[in-house]
Amino acid sequence: MSVEIKFIGEQEPFSYTDGEGTEYRYRVQDSGALSIFEKAAGKTMARDALPIAVYGPAAWFSVTGTSLGASDRGPGRVAGF
């Protein structure tokens, strides 16, 4: 799945996509910054995964695609196991 970002002042959206099964997710931070994450198809991401790109709130106008959700992160760790 791809993520498309419409930047302020740009006519065409920028797209994170590839044809090799990589999926992309986005998260809008409390500050308004937009973080883009890369995820292998059918896998989960580490809870401490770092974004591959971060755009400040003044850079982007809108985003479409799949937002980062709890199911992307996999199960949490349980103390004692």
Side-chain angles (χ1 to χ4, degrees):
M1 303 198 141
S2 66
V3 168
E4 290 190 2
I5 304 165
K6 175 110 169 91
F7 290 102
I8 292 175
E10 294 292 324
Q11 298 299 317
E12 298 294 323
F14 178 80
S15 182
Y16 281 92
T17 187
D18 69 14
E20 299 179 12
T22 302
E23 297 179 10
Y24 296 91
R25 301 287 191 264
Y26 72 87
R27 172 181 283 160
V28 178
Q29 307 294 341
D30 290 340
S31 65
L34 176 67
S35 299
I36 307 297
F37 296 87
E38 191 175 58
K39 177 186 167 196
K43 307 263 182 176
T44 58
M45 297 169 37
R47 292 211 176 265
D48 59 351
L50 297 175
I52 61 169
V54 177
Y55 301 101
W60 63 281
F61 176 72
S62 66
V63 61
T64 58
T66 305
S67 64
L68 184 66
S71 63
D72 295 316
R73 299 293 190 161
R77 299 184 81 178
V78 177
F81 290 95

